[in-house]
Amino acid sequence: MSISKELLEILACPQCKGEVQLTPQGDGLICPRCKLLYEIKDDIPIMIIEKAKRLE
């Protein structure tokens, strides 16, 4: 199961409060402004800045 569109619309990057986008694989959320990847584990997005992966 993936994240619903309704949830995706209200989620925001905890760092910049900007919009996040679902990865093509559906396994994470990307903040294009901060270049951070927030993983999704067991259908729950882990929206903790310290646990996010930096994208290069």
Side-chain angles (χ1 to χ4, degrees), residues 6 8 11 13 18-20 23 32 34 36-37 40 42-43 55:
E6 293 83 15
L8 190 57
L11 285 175
C13 173
E19 187 176 311
V20 292
T23 62
C34 297
L36 293 175
L37 169 67
I40 298 174
D42 298 322
D43 294 330
L55 300 174

Side-chain angles (χ1 to χ4, degrees), residues 2-3 5 7 12 20 25-27 34-35 37 39 45 51-52:
S2 185
I3 289 187
K5 286 186 178 186
L7 180 58
V20 292
Q25 301 84 1
D27 60 350
C34 297
K35 296 188 177 17
L37 169 67
E39 292 183 316
K51 297 204 179 230

